């Protein structure tokens, strides 16, 4: 990007105060990928940015960047939707936070990915509703790993290539990042065939179609345990939001 102003859609991931009245916002943008930008005067009470750079909001922003500068300047922001404002459900807010944490901490800076941007926008509205939050989050996690090239194939045994069908026992090895049949692997985590079928649906279908599948919370939870272990292993980090989500599940 030369010394130009550019308009792009952005999902606000985080924001920090800077100096007396400015704000630094970490954005995942459609056009530039993850960037950080300064919004001058954004913390003043009558700022034109008021309410438009809150985490988990989707805005159209105008960015300006000097050649070789680390930070963009955010010239303006027009709010399209604030996902965090749509819910007061603590579990939903934690899961929205997980999306922001993943995008902020695992995407390379200034490497745009339109599929990833579209994936985030696809799931965010469903993460604001208790009825859809868990399955939508699983869909996001599986596709996040697939887009990064980290999700192992679930259709064939990774060792002998045999088709994994309803008749075969399926095991997930998180350490080796693979699914295998019972003949090749009997350690690791046994996966129910209904969970494998749901995973197949997630990989083949649109999110709206996945919601119409008959899946139980148990299968969603089973796949999320595997997928979240893969996430932490693949990105070599533990996500604070995942810890909070699991702590919240124990309290309920
Ligand atoms: Zn095998």
């Amino acid at each position: 990007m030369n010394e130009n102003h550019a308009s792009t859609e952005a999902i606000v991931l985080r924001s920090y105060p800077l100096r007396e009245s400015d704000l630094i916002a970490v954005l995942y943008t459609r056009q530039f990928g993850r960037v950080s930008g300064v919004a001058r005067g954004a913390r003043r009470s009558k700022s034109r940015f008021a309410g438009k750079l809150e985490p988990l909001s989707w805005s159209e922003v105008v960015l300006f960047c000097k050649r070789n500068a680390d930070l963009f300047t955010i010239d303006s922001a027009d709010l399209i939707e604030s996902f965090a404002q749509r819910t007061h459900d603590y579990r939903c807010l934690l899961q929205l936070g997980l999306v922001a944490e993943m995008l902020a901490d695992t995407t390379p800076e200034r490497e745009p990915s339109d599929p990833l941007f579209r994936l985030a926008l696809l799931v965010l509205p469903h993460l604001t509703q208790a009825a859809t939050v868990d399955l939508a989050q699983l869909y996001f996690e599986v596709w996040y790993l697939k887009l990064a090239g980290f999700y192992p194939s679930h259709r064939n045994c990774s060792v002998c290539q045999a088709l994994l069908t309803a008749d075969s026992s399926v095991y997930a090895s998180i350490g080796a990042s693979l699914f295998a049949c019972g003949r090749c692997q009997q350690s690791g985590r046994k996966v129910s065939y209904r969970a494998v079928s749901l995973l197949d649906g997630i990989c083949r279908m649109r999110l709206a179609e996945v919601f119409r599948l008959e899946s139980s919370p148990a299968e969603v939870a089973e796949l999320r345990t595997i997928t979240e272990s893969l996430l932490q292993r693949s990105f070599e980090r533990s996500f604070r939001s995942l810890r909070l989500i699991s702590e919240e599940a124990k309290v309920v």
Side-chain angles (χ1 to χ4, degrees):
M1 185 179 176
N2 295 324
E3 293 188 23
N4 278 328
H5 295 261
S7 175
T8 181
E9 284 170 76
I11 299 165
V12 182
L13 308 177
R14 286 183 182 143
S15 58
Y16 310 93
L18 175 75
R19 296 186 287 266
E20 224 168 82
S21 59
D22 301 343
L23 193 76
I24 291 189
V26 181
L27 311 171
Y28 194 78
T29 65
R30 196 188 279 273
Q31 197 175 338
F32 307 108
R34 178 172 58 84
V35 301
S36 296
V38 180
R40 305 236 180 264
R43 291 164 60 230
R44 293 199 190 104
S45 56
K46 288 183 181 162
S47 163
R48 67 188 191 281
F49 291 109
K52 296 172 181 170
L53 293 174
E54 301 293 324
L56 276 316
S57 53
W58 169 31
S59 292
E60 179 81 26
V61 295
V62 175
L63 300 174
F64 174 75
C65 189
K66 285 189 183 151
R67 201 185 297 268
N68 300 326
D70 286 340
L71 284 174
F72 283 72
T73 298
I74 304 173
D75 275 354
S76 66
D78 281 314
L79 186 68
I80 301 170
E81 179 71 80
S82 170
F83 296 106
Q85 294 292 322
R86 276 208 205 176
T87 181
H88 298 291
D89 183 311
Y90 182 55
R91 187 170 170 79
C92 290
L93 290 169
L94 290 178
Q95 308 225 36
L96 287 167
L98 175 59
V99 171
E101 186 179 353
M102 285 166 63
L103 289 169
D105 291 351
T106 68
T107 56
E109 206 172 0
R110 300 194 191 193
E111 270 188 35
S113 164
D114 196 59
L116 186 52
F117 189 86
R118 285 188 284 117
L119 174 65
L121 274 190
L122 175 69
V123 298
L124 282 167
H126 300 287
L127 297 182
T128 65
Q129 294 167 42
T132 51
V133 63
D134 286 299
L135 185 52
Q137 187 69 270
L138 173 64
Y139 190 91
F140 180 74
E141 291 169 356
V142 168
W143 274 100
Y144 197 85
L145 282 164
K146 280 172 73 74
L147 290 174
F150 289 138
Y151 212 93
S153 164
H154 63 279
R155 296 202 175 102
N156 296 80
C157 169
S158 285
V159 183
C160 72
Q161 307 306 319
L163 208 58
L164 297 173
T165 65
D167 301 328
S168 44
S169 305
V170 180
Y171 289 82
S173 166
I174 304 302
S177 261
L178 57 77
F179 289 103
C181 73
R183 283 188 304 278
C184 296
Q185 175 120 20
Q186 286 178 345
S187 59
R189 176 183 286 272
K190 193 166 190 308
V191 192
S192 72
Y193 192 70
R194 288 182 62 90
V196 177
S197 301
L198 173 59
L199 178 58
D200 195 57
I202 289 171
C203 294
R204 281 189 301 109
M205 297 173 178
R206 302 159 74 90
L207 180 58
E209 294 171 314
V210 173
F211 282 132
R212 288 198 287 271
L213 292 175
E214 277 186 33
S215 64
S216 73
E219 287 137 27
V220 175
E222 186 181 351
L223 281 180
R224 279 194 63 179
T225 302
I226 294 168
T227 305
E228 286 163 7
S229 300
L230 280 170
L231 260 180
Q232 309 212 60
R233 184 182 175 281
S234 303
F235 291 104
E236 297 178 326
R237 63 183 307 121
S238 57
F239 292 96
R240 180 174 171 273
S241 306
L242 282 180
R243 183 168 52 73
L244 294 174
I245 291 166
S246 98
E247 282 169 7
E248 190 268 350
K250 283 179 206 152
V251 172
V252 172

